[in-house]
Amino acid sequence: MEQQQATAPRPDSRRPGAGDVPAAFVGVEQAEAALVEHYPRLTRLAYLVLPPSLGRNRRVLTAHSVVQRALPRKDTPARPVALPPQRRSGHPASDPAGPGYALVRLRVLRAALAAEQPRVRVPLLRREVPVPPLPPLLPQVWGLRLFPRSGDVDELTLARALSALSAPARAAYVLRALEGLGDADVRAVLEAAGAEDVPGALAAAAGTAPAAGGRDRALLESPEFDPCSLQVRPTDLLRRRRYARTALAAGAAVLVCGALLSLPGGGRGPDGAAAPPYAENAAAQAALDPAKVTRAAAGAWRNATRRGLSAWPARGDRTDDRALLRRALAVWARPGPDVQVSATPGTAKGPAAGPPQLLYAGVADRAAVVLLYDGLRVVRYAEPADGPDGQGGAALDFARTDGADDTSATALVLSRADSNVRYLTAPWTEHAALTDLRKPTGAAQPLPLGEDGTTGPVPSPAQATSCTSWQALRLDGRLFTDLGELLPARLTSGAPDRPGEPDGPQARTVWARTACHLGGLRGQGVRTVNSWEFARQQLPAGGGTAAWVCTRAETWRGAGSRAFAQVQTPPAGGRPYAPGAVVARSTGGPGCGPREPWALAGVLWKTSGGQWWLVAAGSAQLTEISAGGGLTGRAAGSQLAVPATAGARAELSGRLRSGGRVTGLR
């Protein structure tokens, strides 16, 4: 009585009914049991199907490798392929039966057929390319050659006949003779294994002598085709000796070359004289040590020849918290994936070159904040006040401070919360106040300073969604505004070569109608913003007086400056400080700056009566303005007004007192 291998239907399979067959799965353990029990038979099958061109030794090892790799990694649906009969006349009753053996046999056949023309899929080419047959990774035998015992004339004749067949034909012959399958069953197994030209393979196998069904099974079961009953012989001993000598010589050459490359003064790699990547740099290690963080003396700023950030003392109630400082330095050097990192344009995010200077360490708005300075950048580290494991993550902000002095770096942002911002002011700051740029006639509101130079929460225009007000910070007479960065930008007014504080009524009015345009400068690393009223012009048809203003923003990095020209026509509708109309923009150019302290701009303007005019104005350096292109006109002096039509386009140019030609802002 043969032992049957049972399979269990999956819970999601259909119940068997009339004409239905339940879906069966072969478990990994069941497949392993079939492979181990019938290992000699499976290796004989693989040995017979593998290409004879591999040679007997390599064919033996490949057959064992194919069978050992045929074990599936997970439960696999049982394919409805044919099984060998349980008993036939003249055949033993121990033929394997069951889906476990059928699955393993199918995987062995598929791998053996693929060895005839091995191919590898190349993702870049999106197709498979042929490769030469490679020896199996496992099993491996060193120093010995393995091959089955030699047979008599009949076995040699059969081996020669099989070697002339293709791999599918050999597989068809073996399935017929060794497995005892009929043609229909052989066809089903070969098609399931992915064989090519199955009908041709069946025909070629049928024409092979001795034909399947004669003495073929006895011949195939002889020791000639048994990869489990092997003879052992040594490999080529003289060749091995030559290989050993060559390997020793190559190893000695590598050692000599390595020694020469390690000598000082020569043989350096692509990193030159740098130490190995794993070597520790003393300065980099010092930058991580909280005990080596530098601190300015409390009164050093009083006698400093240059009042910059380097003269700021360390302030805050946690300047002696070594654990907090250590975390801040470590996150600066190696920010993790959960750290929110931000930097102004052009600011490097790398670690400090040495121990940085501590500016502040304390708690602000439920966050522990550390401000550090390395001579070129200010770095702000923030974490929850109750520790790094508290609710919320760590944040790391970088900002450039090239050439910061007492006029440009008088405050740093400590925290932002609830649309407010809290500042740390310079130690020399005595007076602080808030002023609304949108209300030029309003009085400034005093802003108290704490003993450590911190302010209370101040409304931040950088986070506002409307422009009904624009709060600016006045520190010792200088005006600053928050543009969403660590350092507030300074606001000035006047000609580009001599800007000053916007204190007068005219300057305040210009800024009241310009403030809403500052939103386009958020997050650009802006250092200063200067607004210059370069001309006032009487509009045609009694339209009143228009102010021409050029606003220029300089950045900490030098590059990326921005300028825009606007015309501020007489307000209407009860809005005395309505924002001006921007008529031209420039990015990265020198217009309206110290290198080109002149301006020229124009716009199409419509009178109350419906007439269109081209109005243009330039700064006092211009002696003539011309319009060309779709609209022409010329006027002496620095102003031009020409009748126009809706949608007309013109190119403006002007002449300086020196005779040079200039164009409008672009």
Side-chain angles (χ1 to χ4, degrees):
M1 189 72 179
E2 290 187 345
Q3 180 181 1
Q4 300 292 326
Q5 295 180 341
T7 59
R10 291 288 177 176
D12 57 351
S13 62
R14 297 181 293 114
R15 293 183 176 275
D20 293 334
V21 178
F25 280 72
V26 176
V28 176
E29 296 82 2
Q30 183 180 352
E32 182 188 21
L35 188 149
V36 173
E37 180 181 358
H38 305 293
Y39 187 82
R41 185 177 191 136
L42 292 169
T43 53
R44 184 186 296 269
L45 175 66
Y47 181 82
L48 288 167
V49 177
L50 286 170
S53 59
L54 294 177
R56 301 178 72 190
N57 175 73
R58 187 162 161 189
R59 198 171 161 197
V60 166
L61 297 178
T62 304
H64 284 273
S65 176
V66 164
V67 175
Q68 293 174 14
R69 288 188 290 110
L71 184 66
R73 296 182 180 272
K74 59 183 179 180
D75 295 356
T76 307
R79 292 181 177 270
V81 296
L83 299 174
Q86 295 185 3
R87 180 183 297 273
R88 288 193 309 162
S89 176
H91 291 262
S94 60
D95 283 350
Y101 175 79
L103 173 65
V104 177
R105 181 185 63 189
L106 179 63
R107 294 173 64 90
V108 168
L109 273 177
R110 185 180 292 124
L113 291 172
E116 181 81 8
Q117 294 179 343
R119 306 176 70 86
V120 173
R121 181 170 181 80
V122 180
L124 292 178
L125 300 179
R126 296 183 179 180
R127 62 185 180 90
E128 294 183 346
V129 297
V131 295
L134 300 175
L137 296 178
L138 289 174
Q140 287 283 354
V141 178
W142 294 81
L144 293 174
R145 295 183 60 82
L146 307 176
F147 48 88
R149 299 180 180 276
S150 300
D152 55 16
V153 176
D154 293 336
E155 284 86 353
L156 293 177
T157 301
L158 178 59
R160 189 177 299 109
L162 291 177
S163 64
L165 298 177
S166 64
R170 287 195 301 272
Y173 187 92
V174 173
L175 289 175
R176 281 173 170 172
L178 188 62
E179 294 290 290
L181 301 181
D183 287 351
D185 296 334
V186 171
R187 179 189 299 271
V189 173
L190 289 181
E191 290 177 349
E196 298 178 353
D197 190 16
V198 175
L202 290 171
T208 303
R215 296 181 56 244
D216 51 338
R217 177 158 186 159
L219 294 177
L220 292 178
E221 290 180 345
S222 67
E224 170 73 18
F225 306 109
D226 184 6
C228 293
S229 178
L230 303 171
Q231 297 186 91
V232 180
R233 295 291 185 272
T235 57
D236 192 331
L237 299 178
L238 294 178
R239 181 180 298 176
R240 284 167 50 186
R241 185 175 298 173
R242 289 195 297 269
Y243 285 167
R245 291 174 180 173
T246 303
L248 288 175
V254 170
L255 292 176
V256 172
C257 292
L260 292 176
L261 291 175
S262 64
L263 293 177
R268 293 172 178 169
D271 294 335
Y278 51 81
E280 294 183 352
N281 181 275
Q285 293 299 314
L288 299 174
D289 189 353
K292 295 183 179 180
V293 170
T294 63
R295 305 166 189 243
W301 60 271
R302 302 180 186 276
N303 301 320
T305 57
R306 181 172 175 272
R307 288 185 176 181
L309 292 170
S310 60
W312 285 30
R315 289 172 285 178
D317 57 359
R318 298 183 66 175
T319 55
D320 295 327
D321 190 339
R322 292 282 186 92
L324 174 62
L325 297 181
R326 184 181 301 278
R327 290 194 296 271
L329 295 171
V331 172
W332 182 0
R334 305 180 308 276
D338 297 331
V339 179
Q340 299 180 7
V341 181
S342 68
T344 56
T347 304
K349 301 179 184 178
Q357 177 185 345
L358 177 63
L359 302 180
Y360 181 88
V363 177
D365 294 326
R366 303 182 300 277
V369 179
V370 178
L371 291 177
L372 299 166
Y373 174 62
D374 67 352
L376 294 175
R377 300 169 295 173
V378 169
V379 179
R380 175 184 176 272
Y381 170 79
E383 66 177 26
D386 52 356
D389 298 329
Q391 185 176 4
L396 195 66
D397 303 317
F398 295 85
R400 286 184 66 160
T401 57
D402 306 33
D405 54 19
D406 58 349
T407 64
S408 58
T410 58
L412 295 175
V413 171
L414 274 184
S415 64
R416 299 181 185 275
D418 303 327
S419 299
N420 294 324
V421 61
R422 192 185 298 268
Y423 294 100
L424 173 69
T425 61
W428 52 81
T429 301
E430 297 181 356
H431 305 286
L434 281 180
T435 181
D436 190 349
L437 294 181
R438 298 283 289 140
K439 299 177 181 179
T441 59
Q445 301 178 1
L447 181 63
L449 296 178
E451 295 182 358
D452 56 357
T454 59
T455 70
V458 176
S460 171
Q463 301 178 6
T465 57
S466 63
C467 193
T468 56
S469 67
W470 193 283
Q471 297 292 336
L473 184 67
R474 189 174 289 276
L475 301 174
D476 291 340
R478 298 187 179 95
L479 198 61
F480 298 86
T481 188
D482 178 30
L483 293 179
E485 301 170 1
L486 285 181
L487 283 83
R490 185 184 176 190
L491 305 180
T492 60
S493 180
D497 51 355
R498 52 182 186 280
E501 302 302 325
D503 293 331
Q506 181 178 345
R508 291 182 180 181
T509 301
V510 168
W511 267 115
R513 305 188 66 179
T514 305
C516 292
H517 297 300
L518 292 175
L521 302 176
R522 294 186 180 111
Q524 300 301 317
V526 175
R527 178 173 185 164
T528 61
V529 184
N530 181 64
S531 276
W532 170 36
E533 183 182 305
F534 62 87
R536 296 183 74 85
Q537 181 182 20
Q538 291 295 326
L539 297 175
T545 302
W548 292 88
V549 179
C550 191
T551 303
R552 181 178 176 86
E554 300 286 356
T555 65
W556 285 98
R557 64 188 183 277
S561 61
R562 296 190 176 191
F564 58 89
Q566 56 176 317
V567 58
Q568 298 177 353
T569 57
R575 300 178 60 196
Y577 307 114
V582 176
V583 299
R585 296 183 185 274
S586 173
T587 300
C592 298
R595 289 193 300 159
E596 291 186 2
W598 54 78
L600 172 62
V603 68
L604 287 177
W605 176 77
K606 185 179 181 181
T607 68
S608 59
Q611 174 64 40
W612 286 94
W613 289 78
L614 168 64
V615 292
S619 56
Q621 299 95 325
L622 271 66
T623 61
E624 180 185 271
I625 297 180
S626 301
L631 193 62
T632 60
R634 177 177 297 180
S638 59
Q639 297 181 7
L640 172 69
V642 179
T645 57
R649 293 182 175 273
E651 295 182 0
L652 296 176
S653 64
R655 185 181 299 277
L656 298 173
R657 292 194 184 97
S658 61
R661 303 290 297 182
V662 298
T663 59
L665 187 68
R666 63 181 63 183

